[in-house]
């Protein structure tokens, strides 16, 4: 394969120039970070699993007409995506109290919230992704009020759909983070779901035992991280056929 130009390297993924204008290749690494990269590690096979899980979830969301950046999976660690202008806001939806909400508001972990709550964080590592209000987002021009209407509407639909999908395989969707981008096509601009949806950016608990099946196992040193990610893929019916032995996937091609 021809050498490709690397455009961006993040904590868990690398973006390369795509084969055609308007496309990018998103490569999923095994690297894991937490607490704004103060904690670093490797979760063997995570990139392969997240590539597959994100493909599956974005495809399912596409089937209910949620626009996404996803085009198709290319191989074990890479997917072809549409190039979008990322809106620098992390959108978090919470159904059950966990993580930073328990600390910020003193609500015990596991408390079902009276309704789903959406929070916004400004994507800025130097500032540690501070929580912001919609007022900041629109006043500083990170997104317009109509963009925010689309984002909130899409996020609630994503939450409803994914909550049901996970419940169907015995998993409670506690909370998750999504990112959106602006997709320019002809004269039009559309807000589309971007980035990834995987156990790296969701809290997923076993519905019966409440056992954690997501990146909190890494954040909190709970062990059995690889097994948890694999179990999520297994329940979704998408564990790569070769199973664990092949989790390393092909070497990165540049
Ligand atoms: P929090 O409870 O730490 O605020 O996290 C809420 C959700 O967002 C949780 O599912 C993990 C996810 N998340 C990310 O994907 N990236 C991040 O940088 C953070 C802080 C959280």
């Amino acid at each position: 394969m021809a050498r490709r130009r690397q455009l961006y390297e993040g904590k868990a993924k690398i973006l390369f120039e795509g084969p055609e204008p308007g496309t990018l290749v998103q490569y999923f690494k095994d690297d894991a970070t937490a607490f704004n990269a103060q904690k670093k590690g490797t979760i063997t096979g995570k990139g392969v699993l997240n590539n597959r899980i994100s493909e599956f979830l974005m495809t399912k969301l596409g089937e209910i007409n949620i626009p996404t950046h996803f085009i198709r999976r290319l191989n074990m660690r890479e997917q072809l995506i549409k190039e979008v202008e990322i809106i620098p806001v992390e959108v978090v939806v919470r159904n059950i109290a966990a993580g930073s909400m328990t600390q910020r508001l003193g609500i015990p972990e596991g408390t079902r919230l009276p309704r789903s709550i959406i929070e916004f964080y400004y994507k800025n590592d130097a500032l540690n992704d501070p929580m912001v209000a919609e007022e900041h987002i629109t006043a500083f021009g990170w997104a317009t009020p109509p963009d925010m209407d689309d984002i909130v509407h899409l996020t609630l639909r994503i939450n409803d759909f994914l909550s049901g999908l996970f419940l169907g395989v015995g998993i409670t969707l506690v909370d998750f983070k999504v990112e959106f981008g602006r997709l320019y096509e002809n004269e039009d601009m559309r807000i589309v779901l971007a980035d990834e949806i995987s156990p790296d950016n969701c809290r997923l608990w076993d519905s019966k035992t409440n056992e954690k099946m997501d990146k909190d196992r890494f954040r909190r040193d709970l062990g059995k991280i690889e097994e948890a990610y694999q179990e999520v893929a297994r329940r979704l019916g998408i564990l790569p056929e070769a199973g664990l032995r092949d989790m390393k996937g092909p070497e990165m091609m540049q």
Side-chain angles (χ1 to χ4, degrees):
M1 186 182 262
R3 282 182 83 81
R4 288 173 310 192
R5 198 154 64 92
Q6 181 176 315
L7 302 177
Y8 172 80
E9 177 156 11
K11 286 176 263 193
K13 296 188 290 295
I14 306 175
L15 291 177
F16 295 96
E17 212 168 52
E20 303 133 41
T23 66
L24 300 176
V25 173
Q26 181 164 252
Y27 176 96
F28 288 75
K29 301 192 278 187
D30 283 349
D31 297 353
T33 64
F35 316 116
N36 199 14
Q38 284 178 56
K39 181 182 172 99
K40 288 188 183 146
T42 304
I43 304 175
T44 307
K46 172 172 85 80
V48 174
L49 289 165
N50 283 358
N51 185 23
R52 197 75 188 79
I53 292 169
S54 198
E55 170 198 19
F56 177 78
L57 297 177
M58 293 246 181
T59 303
K60 288 280 176 199
L61 289 166
E63 287 168 8
I64 60 154
N65 290 326
I66 303 277
T68 81
H69 73 163
F70 181 79
I71 303 174
R72 66 173 187 276
R73 188 165 61 85
L74 296 171
N75 56 48
M76 296 278 273
R77 287 187 183 269
E78 294 177 329
Q79 48 182 244
L80 187 66
I81 57 170
K82 294 176 191 164
E83 183 171 22
V84 300
E85 188 180 277
I86 289 285
I87 293 169
V89 173
E90 300 198 342
V91 182
V92 169
V93 190
R94 301 180 189 273
N95 300 307
I96 292 174
S100 65
M101 174 177 255
T102 61
Q103 289 169 1
R104 188 180 297 116
L105 302 179
I107 303 173
E109 182 180 85
T111 309
R112 174 144 302 263
L113 301 172
R115 60 182 169 82
S116 301
I117 293 176
I118 301 187
E119 296 171 347
F120 304 108
Y121 295 83
Y122 177 40
K123 252 174 89 73
N124 184 319
D125 282 342
L127 298 175
N128 216 356
D129 294 350
M131 192 188 208
V132 292
E134 202 169 325
E135 280 286 285
H136 300 97
I137 297 170
T138 54
F140 295 126
W142 302 326
T144 64
D147 290 343
M148 291 309 290
D149 288 347
D150 285 357
I151 287 172
V152 168
H153 180 71
L154 289 170
T155 301
L156 290 173
R157 286 184 59 211
I158 293 166
N159 184 43
D160 280 351
F161 181 79
L162 292 185
S163 293
L165 186 148
F166 278 117
L167 202 58
V169 296
I171 294 175
T172 304
L173 181 60
V174 171
D175 59 31
F176 63 97
K177 183 267 295 183
V178 278
E179 294 181 25
F180 293 90
R182 293 190 191 87
L183 176 64
Y184 294 94
E185 276 174 336
N186 308 318
E187 301 294 288
D188 288 342
M189 187 283 284
R190 277 197 300 162
I191 301 287
V192 305
L193 177 64
D195 192 51
E196 68 173 289
I197 306 184
S198 73
D200 267 14
N201 34 55
C202 298
R203 285 198 172 89
L204 304 168
W205 294 356
D206 181 278
S207 304
K208 287 209 185 87
T209 64
N210 281 347
E211 196 182 343
K212 298 183 198 317
M213 303 172 69
D214 56 62
K215 199 169 137 188
D216 267 352
R217 301 204 70 86
F218 169 77
R219 294 188 189 98
R220 301 199 195 175
D221 295 319
L222 299 176
K224 298 203 170 162
I225 312 169
E226 288 88 352
E227 289 85 342
Y229 278 59
Q230 264 186 66
E231 179 60 13
V232 172
R234 194 190 66 77
R235 290 200 196 177
L236 293 173
I238 54 171
L239 190 64
E241 272 171 34
L244 235 198
R245 274 176 295 115
D246 209 20
M247 281 294 118
K248 205 164 153 281
E251 290 306 312
M252 180 164 40
M253 290 189 283
Q254 294 203 21

